[in-house]
Amino acid sequence: MNKELIINVAPTGVEIALLEDKKLVELHNDKTDANFGVGDLYLGKVKKLIPGLNAAFVDVGFEKDAFLHYTDLSPFAKSILKFTQIAMADADGSYDFSKFQIEPEIVKTGKINEVMNGKPNVLVQILKEPIAAKGPRLSCELSLPGRFVVVTPFNEIVAVSKKIHSSEERKRLHKIVEAIRPKNFGVIVRTAAEGKSTAELHQDLLELVNTWKTIQQNLKGAEAPAKILSEQTKTTSILRDLLNEDFNKIVINDRNIYNDTKNYIQRIAPDKAEIVSFHGNGTPLFDTYGITKQVKSSFGKTVNLPSGAYLIIEHTEALHVIDVNSGYKSVSNNQEENALQTNLEAAAEIAIQLRLRDIGGIIVVDFIDMKLPDNRRKLQEAMDEFMKSDRAKHAVLPISKFGLMQITRQRMRPEMNINTSEVCPVCHGSGKITSTLLLEDDIEKRLHYLTTHSHKNLTLCVNPIVYSHLTKGFFGSIAKKWKKKYKINLKVQPNTNYHIVEFHFFDQHEEEIKF
């Protein structure tokens, strides 16, 4: 599979498109004024404890207080509270984190007011961006992601990604990381670390430890609410998470971001540095790679599939509903076979749509009914396979007896919603146009006005259908009658760019006459 990353820099922010085999599968918008992104670290002030919800509302500088539930506190919540106070009071920023004494873990069934009593300042991480009328959701389970490892302060655990299937490789990585892990840091080994050397893992780990030192420095003398550390830009975070041997092109139309990206890739994957290129020929970048057209066809209520089948995507407050329709598709005379093939095609597109629109929460898919249990199983397995490339946590449930498939997908950001409809140039969004029965009278009124103002040589441009109506006639055309009636030289011309009731008059110098 060929992957391409197209990065379009505009005054309002950075648009990032991920293409897989030329097909748009992800679209990100990194706005210049955006705050509170997933992964950002803040010094927050606990404002209100809600024992009934077992949660707290925390001021992190957003217009609405952020939400912190007890289950998101982390077992090391007391250690985080203690570290926050030490780092804030550290005058010269020389505190050695390796000497920090870890506090006892909190119990899973505890109460929020037992931990957050006194409404302290606390270091928190954005778990979910503000969505709709809700403020951000927070977590105290701090994590710093790198290319090959993720660092989790305050614990001593080393874990290896379950996606690395080789037991020998898992043991090798575990042994390496255990040997190089600094005190008071836990480490999660990512799938991308498979086959990597000790030096590469050590370098990645050192960079994350330096990031933690930066957090300590930023906490020194800080006053809540305050941003302590920003997650990397979406460009570099996408490269960090996705860059692999399948990537064959990264195109950028901004010189500064091009240089930053080139340097970043040179550092994390030197063998991939040559895939970065600068687009500077003046043509719109998204148009050049066909992304604009794909955006127009992929967003909206209806999504058409190549075979003629189509999806209807509806959004409610509680969930998303996707209806699969066969359209005119018919691959055989067997109705069950037709239903299976249409459903499989729809499943592939649905998996892309969930990534592309970043749809989260509960999704209910109404597939075309199939009677055979084997076909339902095939569809279930196919959907699981299509969803494998989705980085968001998700679960696909078997098709119910009503023919519905339920999917849950992690929601961390607001849904990507692009309005692809345009205002009708004829009715200007009203849904109504001037009656065509009155069109002839309207043209004649304008013609009469022009002749009374000394216009004798005129050209009338109209829609081709109206042109036929004005110039054809058994007993003489309407245009000829107007010439005779007003004693003028009138030429009628068709223009395919005009809508049905649009017309314009031009004088003898071919300049349009404005009314």
Side-chain angles (χ1 to χ4, degrees), residues 332-485:
S332 74
N333 294 325
N334 186 319
Q335 184 178 350
E336 184 78 6
E337 181 64 21
N338 283 339
L340 176 60
Q341 293 304 318
T342 302
N343 285 339
L344 291 174
E345 182 186 29
E349 182 62 31
I350 288 168
I352 292 174
Q353 286 293 322
L354 298 185
R355 290 174 65 189
L356 187 57
R357 302 181 188 220
D358 209 0
I359 294 175
I362 301 172
I363 302 105
V364 178
V365 185
D366 182 11
F367 283 107
I368 298 170
D369 289 340
M370 296 183 296
K371 295 178 181 179
L372 299 180
D374 279 353
N375 287 341
R376 293 186 180 187
R377 181 180 49 78
K378 285 179 184 177
L379 179 58
Q380 162 83 24
E381 292 172 353
M383 180 57 84
D384 284 330
E385 188 64 31
F386 293 141
M387 294 287 288
K388 273 187 178 179
S389 56
D390 195 337
R391 289 177 291 149
K393 293 179 183 177
H394 60 270
V396 181
L397 300 184
I399 298 174
S400 71
K401 62 181 179 180
F402 299 117
L404 303 176
M405 177 183 283
Q406 298 173 69
I407 302 171
T408 60
R409 187 175 183 274
Q410 184 181 27
R411 173 160 48 196
M412 297 172 62
R413 299 178 178 86
E415 177 188 347
M416 174 74 71
N417 191 11
I418 298 176
N419 185 9
T420 58
S421 59
E422 299 175 356
V423 176
C424 173
V426 183
C427 70
H428 304 291
S430 68
K432 298 176 181 179
I433 64 172
T434 306
S435 170
T436 53
L437 295 173
L438 302 176
L439 180 61
E440 186 181 322
D441 291 342
D442 287 343
I443 296 174
E444 187 170 1
K445 285 178 185 177
R446 300 286 178 92
L447 187 60
H448 178 262
Y449 172 83
L450 292 174
T451 55
T452 56
H453 285 74
S454 304
H455 286 281
K456 297 298 181 183
N457 292 293
L458 295 169
T459 300
L460 171 64
C461 289
V462 293
N463 179 276
I465 296 174
V466 178
Y467 170 80
S468 298
H469 174 71
L470 295 178
T471 56
K472 303 294 189 297
F474 189 75
F475 296 106
S477 67
I478 296 170
K480 287 181 179 177
K481 292 178 181 177
W482 285 344
K483 287 182 186 179
K484 189 174 182 181
K485 180 178 179 179

Side-chain angles (χ1 to χ4, degrees), residues 8-53:
N8 181 49
V9 181
T12 55
V14 181
E15 295 175 300
I16 305 165
L18 176 62
L19 305 180
E20 291 181 356
D21 293 332
K22 305 298 181 182
K23 172 78 172 176
L24 179 65
V25 294
E26 287 187 28
L27 187 64
H28 302 271
N29 199 336
D30 195 3
K31 294 184 178 178
T32 52
D33 59 350
N35 274 323
F36 305 99
V38 172
D40 291 351
L41 271 74
Y42 281 81
L43 176 63
K45 171 69 176 174
V46 177
K47 300 285 285 187
K48 191 175 183 180
L49 299 175
I50 314 291
L53 294 175

